[in-house]
Amino acid sequence: MIDPNEIVEFNGQLVAIKDIPSAQIRALYGLGHLPEPGREVIPNPTGEAWPYRPEDCPRAAEMTGTWINDGQYLVCPGCGMDGT
Ligand SMILES: [Zn+2]
């Protein structure tokens, strides 16, 4: 999990990762998933919402997913993005 408020240098300025205007650059820092055709958010089997939205998910860069629905889907534990 990354800290969206972590300060990084972008275009010669110090900004929080969450304030970088480019979604692609934010994703390079591990904040938010880039849209990929065919990848969708799988509903949380607990019936609750996932903690984050894919566009600003702080766990996007993690390599470990969570198996849900008896091993049917491997999803991001932050936002439910399918990584099966
Ligand atoms: Zn995620």
Side-chain angles (χ1 to χ4, degrees), residues 1 44 46 48-54 56-59 76-80:
M1 168 118 62
N44 192 331
T46 67
E48 295 178 28
W50 294 103
Y52 306 102
R53 298 175 306 164
D56 46 26
C57 175
R59 306 188 66 169
C76 172
C79 66

Side-chain angles (χ1 to χ4, degrees), residues 15-32:
V15 296
I17 294 174
K18 65 179 171 51
D19 293 330
I20 294 174
S22 160
Q24 286 186 317
I25 306 285
R26 287 197 302 274
L28 284 179
Y29 282 108
L31 182 64

Side-chain angles (χ1 to χ4, degrees), residues 24-74:
Q24 286 186 317
I25 306 285
R26 287 197 302 274
L28 284 179
Y29 282 108
L31 182 64
H33 301 263
L34 289 176
E36 284 179 46
R39 279 190 88 182
E40 338 174 13
V41 170
I42 308 298
N44 192 331
T46 67
E48 295 178 28
W50 294 103
Y52 306 102
R53 298 175 306 164
E55 56 268 36
D56 46 26
C57 175
R59 306 188 66 169
E62 293 180 20
M63 292 293 142
T64 52
T66 300
W67 288 100
I68 60 170
N69 295 1
D70 293 326
Q72 187 179 7
Y73 298 107
L74 181 65

